[in-house]
Amino acid sequence: MNIPKLLLIGAAKSNSGKTELAVKIIEKYKDLSIIGLKVTTIHEEAYHCPRGESGCGVCLSVKESFTLVEECSIGNDKDTQRLLQAGAKKVYWLCAKASFLFEGFKAFLSLVK
């Protein structure tokens, strides 16, 4: 799949500076109508929250393969809200079981075409 002008930011663990880097890039290039996507992978066999929390309920709320929601609120410290505050045109959050990441990403692409 060829997706021009796609920038991926990833890391092997949480709290490694991914959102900070994304915010800096968005602030610098916000005139380019940036659309952000935060991805949370649910590993069903894992016994810990992928967001570094416990008992928040996000993973349990994904009943099927994935959820994809648009962030519409500014003013909190959620990563998606910070991307909007930095100047992203739109921001989405994909929360997907590991085996359905590609399907979730395709759903995101169909929204932003």
Side-chain angles (χ1 to χ4, degrees), residues 12-28:
K13 63 178 191 153
S14 58
N15 297 318
S16 58
K18 298 179 298 290
T19 302
E20 290 300 319
L21 176 59
V23 164
K24 298 281 187 211
I25 292 169
I26 292 169
E27 287 173 343
K28 183 168 183 168

Side-chain angles (χ1 to χ4, degrees), residues 40-110:
T40 301
T41 304
I42 301 169
H43 298 279
E44 296 177 83
E45 69 282 355
Y47 295 110
H48 66 281
C49 176
R51 297 173 64 220
E53 302 170 6
S54 61
C56 72
V58 170
C59 297
L60 295 175
S61 71
V62 179
K63 299 295 183 200
E64 298 298 321
S65 51
F66 66 87
T67 60
L68 179 63
V69 294
E70 182 178 354
E71 179 63 73
C72 297
S73 179
I74 296 177
N76 210 336
D77 280 336
K78 289 174 41 184
D79 290 348
T80 50
Q81 293 173 341
R82 292 183 60 212
L83 299 177
L84 273 179
Q85 289 170 356
K89 177 180 166 185
K90 290 185 176 189
V91 176
Y92 295 88
W93 182 27
L94 171 62
C95 190
K97 294 179 181 176
S99 57
F100 292 96
L101 281 171
F102 186 61
E103 285 80 4
F105 185 66
K106 287 191 298 186
F108 164 73
L109 289 177
S110 73

